[in-house]
Amino acid sequence: MTKSAFFLSRQSLFPLLKGFLARATQTPIQGSLALFIGAERCGWLFPGAAQALSGLPGVRLTSNSAHFGENLPAGEPLDAFLADIALRLRAAGCAPGWRNELLDVWAQDEKHPNHPQKRVAAIERGVMRPLGLMTQAVHLSGWSEDGRLWVARRALTKATDPGMWDTLVGGLVGNFEDPDDALVRESDEEAGLDAPDIIARTPLRTIAHMKRQIPEGFQLEAVLTCECVLAPHVTPRNRDGEVMDIQLLDTETLYKLLKEDAFTLEASIVITEDLLNRAAD
């Protein structure tokens, strides 16, 4: 990898990354309830969502906790019960990001609270934040041979961070989906990259855990990333309509945009961490 002639150093990047990580380390909004699904501790129920679900059969709310599906009738699957929960939240206006897409619900292990350990069920993606459930996001940093980075600008129609700059590829791992498979799928959808284009990528690794208050609830997300040098003949092109622009930027421009908060917080963490790995001492 060719190093940029720009002054970028680890000393200039460490404070930047520290600031981003601090902004991504928050507690749930006051009034949120510890959420149990079945017998498993899974998330944080947003106050607005708790109000929408109050009195629903199979939902028990206490002063500091919420319990879903403790005593379901024999033969009623937990996934079906959670589908009803999701529809109730949608009808109450608590699921602005409805996608008709299922994600896994993970139990939170007390010893390893930031890592998915046990799959409990599946639920609509649009209610993950109102329920404070853990998601996994996979990212790809796509570099050119001369040391520039491909980045994408989110479409103005995106429910979250519209118009902001993002990693070239970034998306959530779906229901029963392997993270590497999710990365290949997202690379195709978001950047028009086929599997052979990213075959030389580094292994996915977890670099951060987002714990952030957002308008509809709480973002609890494991951030996985990898890097790949794209061949000169490969030009990323969006295929799913969720990206309005893709550009190849040098490190000086990247640093300027990071300082201006032009990237999403998650992308800022991914890109700064990647730059740190390539920066001069």
Side-chain angles (χ1 to χ4, degrees), residues 100-114:
N100 288 316
E101 178 183 341
L102 293 178
L103 299 185
D104 288 324
V105 175
W106 297 95
Q108 293 182 13
D109 188 292
E110 291 185 3
K111 294 182 179 179
H112 307 282
N114 294 324

Side-chain angles (χ1 to χ4, degrees), residues 4 6-8 249-257:
S4 169
F6 179 52
F7 70 93
L8 204 59
L249 304 181
D250 58 38
T251 53
E252 182 174 5
T253 304
L254 288 171
Y255 185 71
K256 178 176 180 289
L257 291 175

